[in-house]
Every structure is written in structure tokens, then in C-alpha cells.
């Protein structure tokens, strides 16, 4: 699996790329990907699960040394707990787009969203994933 995560606060843009082994499986409503975080992402000791539901919603759940649960859903703003190595806080998550070309053999998933805290803009986020069997 290849995962590229980018974030921009309007002034500067940062990107992180992760190449990792992952468990990829079909679910009744889409696909699920589970992988261990590394020192490179800053979340070493955590496991992340990204689940796509019917191409319209992505749920990212991180457990372990850092915990968070983000819901990115088209047309709906979600308030979610976001964990960082520095602590947890409540954020608003608005989906901008979810593009999936996933099938039983793998494929691509790209989703973009905006995060705010107390309705104040934090940044734009883009997660691009390539899965190969």
C-alpha cells in the first residue's frame, strides 16, 4: 500500500508518504484497509483502519499510542475526536470529495476534506491511497 497525505493551511503545504504492508478486505458496504503506523508518520505504535462505505463515506480510525476517529462524508459535517502525539481535540470535518477506484484486487482511493476547530479553519487535507495485492 502507498499512502500520500497532504495538508495545507492556506500558506504552506506539507506531504507525508508511507509505503506499508496492509490488510485489505471487502466488506458488505465497501472496502477496509488496516495498517500499522510508523515513525515517519509520527504515529508509531498506532494502527489505522480506513473504511470506505458505498463510495460516499470514509471512516479513519486510529488506535494504539494515539487514538482518533474521523468521519469524512459527502454532504454532512461531522464532529470527531482527532488524536495527535500532543493530545486529542474535537474537530469539525467537511468532505470536499471522495473518489474511489477500489475493487477486490485493490485500486485507488482519494479523499479531500477540511478541518476546523470551533468553526475556525485549520486546514485542507488530501489522502491518496494505492492498494496492490
Amino acid at each position: 500500500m502507498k499512502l500520500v497525505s497532504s495538508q495545507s493551511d492556506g500558506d504552506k503545504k506539507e506531504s507525508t508518504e508511507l509505503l506499508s504492508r496492509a490488510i485489505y478486505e471487502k466488506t458488505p458496504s465497501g472496502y477496509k484497509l488496516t495498517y500499522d503506523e510508523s515513525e515517519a508518520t509520527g504515529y508509531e505504535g498506532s494502527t489505522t483502519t480506513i473504511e470506505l462505505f458505498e463510495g460516499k463515506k470514509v471512516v479513519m480510525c486510529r488506535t494504539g499510542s494515539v487514538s482518533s476517529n474521523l468521519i469524512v462524508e459527502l454532504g454532512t459535517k461531522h464532529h470527531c475526536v482527532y488524536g495527535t502525539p500532543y493530545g486529542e481535540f474535537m474537530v469539525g470535518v467537511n468532505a470536499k470529495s471522495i473518489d474511489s477506484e477500489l475493487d477486490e484486487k485493490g485500486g485507488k482511493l482519494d479523499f479531500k476534506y477540511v478541518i476546523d476547530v470551533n468553526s475556525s479553519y485549520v486546514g485542507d487535507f488530501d489522502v491518496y491511497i494505492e492498494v496492490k495485492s
Side-chain angles (χ1 to χ4, degrees):
M1 169 203 75
K2 174 182 175 181
L3 183 144
V4 179
S5 175
S6 302
Q7 65 184 59
S8 170
D9 64 5
D11 294 327
K12 61 182 178 180
K13 185 174 181 176
E14 296 178 9
S15 291
T16 303
E17 184 172 322
L18 173 69
L19 298 173
S20 179
R21 290 186 179 266
I23 298 170
Y24 178 68
E25 56 192 308
K26 182 162 180 36
T27 65
S29 58
Y31 296 93
K32 181 165 63 171
L33 184 69
T34 304
Y35 63 93
D36 291 328
E37 294 285 353
S38 72
E39 186 179 336
T41 63
Y43 297 103
E44 185 175 24
S46 296
T47 299
T48 298
T49 300
I50 298 174
E51 192 164 359
L52 174 69
F53 293 88
E54 299 173 356
K56 297 176 185 170
K57 178 168 72 171
V58 175
V59 176
M60 292 186 294
C61 183
R62 184 173 289 132
T63 57
S65 63
V66 176
S67 297
S68 62
N69 190 31
L70 288 183
I71 301 170
V72 180
E73 183 175 14
L74 294 171
T76 303
K77 179 177 182 175
H78 288 275
H79 292 90
C80 307
V81 175
Y82 188 75
T84 73
Y86 311 103
E88 294 182 349
F89 50 96
M90 186 69 71
V91 298
V93 181
N94 275 312
K96 291 172 68 177
S97 66
I98 298 174
D99 297 309
S100 172
E101 295 175 18
L102 294 175
D103 62 24
E104 290 80 10
K105 297 178 183 177
K108 299 174 185 176
L109 173 63
D110 185 22
F111 54 100
K112 297 173 176 54
Y113 56 98
V114 176
I115 287 184
D116 67 70
V117 174
N118 294 329
S119 298
S120 294
Y121 173 78
V122 171
D124 285 271
F125 295 79
D126 181 1
V127 177
Y128 173 80
I129 300 169
E130 282 183 29
V131 179
K132 296 180 183 175
S133 11

